Amino acid sequence: KNGLVSCVKTKRDGPAPPKNLYTSAYLEKMRSYAERYHDYWWILSAKHGLLDPDGEPIQPYDKTLSGARIAEKKEWAERVAKQMDEEGLLSEVTLVLHAGKDYYEELLPLIEDSGVTIEIPTEGLYIGEKKAWYKKRI
């Protein structure tokens, strides 16, 4: 299983490898879960698309898909689907999404016919419930 963890607003002041750039307690919980239960995990960045957590340091940025226009989300999803294909993530694998609807509603239609199995373990939960879900499992 491969995990996809969405980025969060809170970031360090300077450049850092993707897995260390984001500083929220919520992302830390998602990261801990992904590192424990997944063979590999990736970050879904509103600015950069698909990021290898151990990739080259990147600068902090101020961009989110929350509240973004549908056209912007579709453009982002098309870029991410292409990046996922290039990384070999669109074959017979299970992708576990640790992300809000803004990060997957336009992406799912682009990847669901590729042979992947999609799981969204916290779908439909409020943010407090999601945090509790992760806390219980890490």
Side-chain angles (χ1 to χ4, degrees):
K1 290 187 179 187
N2 291 294
L4 297 172
V5 175
S6 67
C7 66
V8 294
K9 185 177 183 176
T10 321
K11 299 171 190 74
R12 297 190 184 286
D13 292 334
K19 72 180 181 185
N20 296 329
L21 181 68
Y22 309 97
T23 59
S24 80
Y26 181 45
L27 186 114
E28 285 299 318
K29 286 181 176 67
M30 291 189 292
R31 173 187 168 175
S32 294
Y33 181 90
E35 289 176 340
R36 178 182 234 173
Y37 294 103
H38 301 318
D39 300 315
Y40 202 77
W41 65 287
W42 302 81
I43 296 169
L44 294 174
S45 161
K47 180 173 182 176
H48 300 283
L50 189 70
L51 284 175
D52 180 335
D54 295 311
E56 292 296 313
I58 56 173
Q59 292 285 344
Y61 59 90
D62 187 21
K63 184 167 179 61
T64 180
L65 293 182
S66 300
R69 297 182 339 274
I70 294 288
E72 187 179 345
K73 290 180 190 176
K74 281 186 175 174
E75 189 178 296
W76 177 87
E78 286 167 10
R79 179 167 54 131
V80 169
K82 186 174 181 228
Q83 290 172 315
M84 291 172 75
D85 189 33
E86 289 166 359
E87 293 293 342
L89 292 177
L90 297 183
S91 56
E92 301 292 323
V93 297
T94 299
L95 294 175
V96 185
L97 293 169
H98 304 282
K101 200 172 184 179
D102 287 317
Y103 286 82
Y104 65 74
E105 65 185 340
E106 298 301 329
L107 182 60
L108 291 185
L110 300 176
I111 65 173
E112 55 194 4
D113 292 336
S114 64
V116 299
T117 302
I118 305 285
E119 294 177 8
I120 309 171
T122 59
E123 187 172 27
L125 299 181
Y126 293 107
I127 189 68
E129 296 170 316
K130 288 180 182 182
K131 289 177 181 176
W133 188 93
Y134 288 105
K135 187 175 182 185
K136 194 188 309 183
R137 288 161 176 81
I138 54 175

